[in-house]
Amino acid sequence: MTSFSVFVVEDEESVRYGIALALEGKYRVRAFPDAESAIAALGEGAPDLVLMDIGLPGMNGVEALKTMKGICPDLVGLVITAYEDVPTVVSAMKAGAFDYVLKPLHAETLEMHIVNALETVRLKKEVRDLQERYLRDNVPLFIGQSQAVREVMEFVEAVAKSPDTPVLIEGETGTGKELIAAAIHYRSPHFQGPIVSVNCAAIPRELIESELFGYEKGAFSGAGAGGKKGLVEQAADGTLFLDEVGDLSPEAQAKLLRFLEEGEFYRVGGTRVLTVSARVVSATNKDLRGLIGKGHFREDLYYRLAVVKVGIPSLNERREDILPIARHYLVEFCRKFGKTLTGFSRDAEEALTSRRWRGNVRELKNVVERAVLMGKGRIVAREDMGIDGAGAAAPTEGPAPGFVSFPPVTLSGIDLDSLQESFDRYYIHEALRLSDGNESRAASLLNINHHTFRYRRKKLDA
């Protein structure tokens, strides 16, 4: 069967029959004597191309094409006209026509127009197929079936259609804001471009400007001999994701505002204006309006970042998603560590669903990872997870009893790097718990400096 379908809408029977006869065997062809019957046939399946006469009885070809494009936006239209009348041709193009063909029709000319029109259809299909592959292969899952999650994903589908509209994502730490940024990127027209993520809180304030916008040779002491591209330049034709955007310095805020408004910026120490096309997606767990009131964040920048804004619900606001998320991570960590746990005990499930998750999905992920490492039976027991019923991690004097439980090396092998990362992540999580979330104190507990702690925490998503 041929790959493209074509509707021929022509009131002159001889012309209609001649076109249909010429196209049969090359395309799937349906012919109609008027616009109304062609529009009605859309319910049975949309064509790739409609060849539409302008001078039809009843609804004319221009109105018909506009109506059909409203129903099937991807449909490509070619209009047939007896006269090269400029106003008529212009109105047809405004209605969505790809091109026009003059009567009397010549087979070779008509075929050339049809081939050119269908080439655009083929390219659109290739892009759509490629985009779907990217979505399958690259986008992490935002797991859940709650109404709150469905509303967020509907928002993602809608806003992703624009290539450059800035988006502000608000939500508590660990809710999955970076996953939403990735979902927006991979569903956008620039999905083949890069997505560059920046944790604004993890970069020292005196370096954030040069990290974002780059620097020229000799811009400051220690600047590289050849200068350096900033993260904004690296995100060209893609997406720049600014996590914890509320931590930007006033100087970086001013340059970011200019970039959002003009698409222009200067490297640090540079005099040449640079231009880059990239969508800016930002995220925060802070009250930016409160920061504006205190003079710590620019109000004009807030409105540029928040052209479109979405709030990510906390895990406690979508409790029906807790067990599906936990089961997803159970499968993931069993695969990483060579374990064969098949589920959670009833007590374990009750502990998970009754707990208040202050760290949201990130905390739940860490609990499941720990449970997989410690689990010795076929299912995860409540005690494997190291949590109590009150919603706080079980108190310990150092590492949890029995935590250093090494999974056996099996014939299928074991991922030693992932195992080491798991232990590192556990101790970072424990240090943060014991220090009530204070990173400086947590770094001291682990006998590392604050910068190293932030780097490892970001790398491990702990």
Side-chain angles (χ1 to χ4, degrees):
M1 182 177 286
T2 53
S3 57
F4 295 112
S5 61
V6 178
F7 278 11
V8 178
V9 188
E10 168 62 60
D11 60 321
E12 292 186 45
E13 184 176 1
S14 60
V15 176
R16 183 172 69 250
Y17 177 78
I19 295 173
L21 187 63
L23 300 182
E24 280 181 358
K26 300 175 183 177
Y27 313 106
R28 287 173 283 131
V29 182
R30 294 187 66 182
F32 304 91
D34 53 59
E36 290 79 3
S37 58
I39 292 170
L42 292 178
E44 303 167 23
D48 297 298
L49 172 71
V50 58
L51 194 59
M52 177 83 67
D53 186 19
I54 287 181
L56 294 170
M59 182 185 293
N60 67 49
V62 173
E63 288 301 317
L65 183 59
K66 186 184 298 184
T67 301
M68 295 177 82
K69 290 280 286 184
I71 299 170
C72 306
D74 291 336
L75 177 149
V76 175
L78 279 177
V79 294
I80 304 171
T81 177
Y83 306 100
E84 197 167 10
D85 178 58
V86 173
T88 301
V89 170
V90 168
S91 63
M93 294 303 180
K94 287 183 178 179
F98 174 81
D99 204 347
Y100 67 96
V101 187
L102 287 173
K103 289 184 178 179
L105 299 175
H106 300 284
E108 291 182 0
T109 303
L110 179 61
E111 178 67 15
M112 179 189 69
H113 282 282
I114 291 174
V115 167
N116 289 341
L118 289 176
E119 177 66 9
T120 68
V121 175
R122 185 188 65 78
L123 291 173
K124 284 181 180 179
K125 285 184 176 181
E126 282 189 1
V127 169
R128 187 162 55 243
D129 290 345
L130 184 59
Q131 190 166 15
E132 288 174 356
R133 275 204 307 278
Y134 262 78
L135 290 172
R136 286 195 304 271
D137 298 341
N138 295 287
V139 181
L141 294 173
F142 194 73
I143 306 161
Q145 293 298 319
S146 64
Q147 179 61 30
V149 167
R150 287 197 295 269
E151 289 175 358
V152 168
M153 294 315 295
E154 287 175 5
F155 164 86
V156 167
E157 293 289 350
V159 75
K161 294 176 183 177
S162 165
D164 54 10
T165 301
V167 181
L168 175 63
I169 306 170
E170 297 178 316
E172 297 176 7
T173 298
T175 50
K177 296 187 288 293
E178 190 162 1
L179 293 183
I180 295 301
I184 291 171
H185 170 77
Y186 285 111
R187 287 166 173 79
S188 75
H190 291 327
F191 71 97
Q192 291 176 275
I195 177 168
V196 177
S197 298
V198 187
N199 186 334
C200 300
I203 302 174
R205 292 173 72 86
E206 63 271 16
L207 296 179
I208 186 69
E209 188 179 355
S210 60
E211 287 295 314
L212 280 177
F213 300 102
Y215 56 81
E216 298 291 358
K217 175 183 177 182
F220 50 83
S221 177
K228 178 185 175 182
K229 277 187 176 182
L231 297 169
V232 169
E233 285 181 80
Q234 294 176 33
D237 299 320
T239 299
L240 177 68
F241 175 55
L242 300 175
D243 199 8
E244 299 190 53
V245 71
D247 288 283
L248 281 176
S249 68
E251 296 78 15
Q253 289 181 39
K255 294 193 75 168
L256 179 60
L257 178 62
R258 175 181 173 84
F259 172 66
L260 286 166
E261 290 182 336
E262 308 293 340
E264 299 176 347
F265 63 94
Y266 293 90
R267 289 183 183 175
V268 174
T271 58
R272 181 167 57 95
V273 177
L274 301 175
T275 60
V276 164
S277 173
R279 185 210 291 269
V280 175
V281 177
S282 52
T284 183
N285 61 1
K286 296 182 177 180
D287 177 12
L288 292 187
R289 288 185 176 275
L291 294 179
I292 291 169
K294 295 175 183 178
H296 297 160
F297 201 82
R298 296 181 61 125
E299 186 172 16
D300 48 3
L301 176 59
Y302 170 79
Y303 286 117
R304 286 299 300 151
L305 291 171
V307 173
V308 179
K309 186 169 63 171
V310 62
I312 308 302
S314 70
L315 189 56
N316 300 305
E317 294 174 288
R318 52 185 187 106
R319 305 195 71 83
E320 61 266 47
D321 294 332
I322 291 173
L323 290 181
I325 294 170
R327 290 172 186 135
H328 168 80
Y329 286 125
L330 178 67
V331 173
E332 179 179 305
F333 290 122
C334 281
R335 187 182 299 118
K336 284 178 68 175
F337 304 135
K339 292 293 196 77
T340 56
L341 295 159
T342 58
F344 296 87
S345 70
R346 181 171 297 181
D347 282 350
E349 289 187 350
E350 288 177 357
L352 291 172
T353 54
S354 62
R355 180 178 176 79
R356 178 165 180 79
W357 296 96
R358 288 178 293 180
N360 290 289
V361 176
R362 183 178 296 156
E363 182 186 2
L364 175 58
K365 179 181 179 182
N366 291 339
V367 166
V368 175
E369 183 175 9
R370 180 185 188 278
V372 171
L373 282 168
M374 292 187 63
K376 297 179 178 64
R378 298 292 295 174
I379 62 174
V380 174
R382 181 172 183 149
E383 55 268 23
D384 295 335
M385 300 187 298
I387 60 176
D388 63 18
T396 62
E397 298 295 332
F403 173 75
V404 185
S405 174
F406 299 98
V409 178
T410 65
L411 292 177
S412 60
I414 192 167
D415 189 337
L416 189 60
D417 289 338
S418 294
L419 187 61
Q420 180 62 54
E421 287 181 3
S422 175
F423 280 107
D424 289 351
R425 189 181 293 109
Y426 169 76
Y427 284 111
I428 287 174
H429 179 70
E430 283 296 287
L432 284 168
R433 181 182 66 79
L434 292 171
S435 61
D436 294 323
N438 185 295
E439 287 191 340
S440 294
R441 293 210 304 270
S444 297
L445 289 175
L446 298 176
N447 291 311
I448 58 177
N449 65 51
H450 190 193
H451 180 74
T452 301
F453 181 89
R454 279 187 163 185
Y455 171 77
R456 290 190 180 181
R457 186 183 182 189
K458 172 66 177 174
K459 179 181 178 182
L460 297 171
D461 192 26

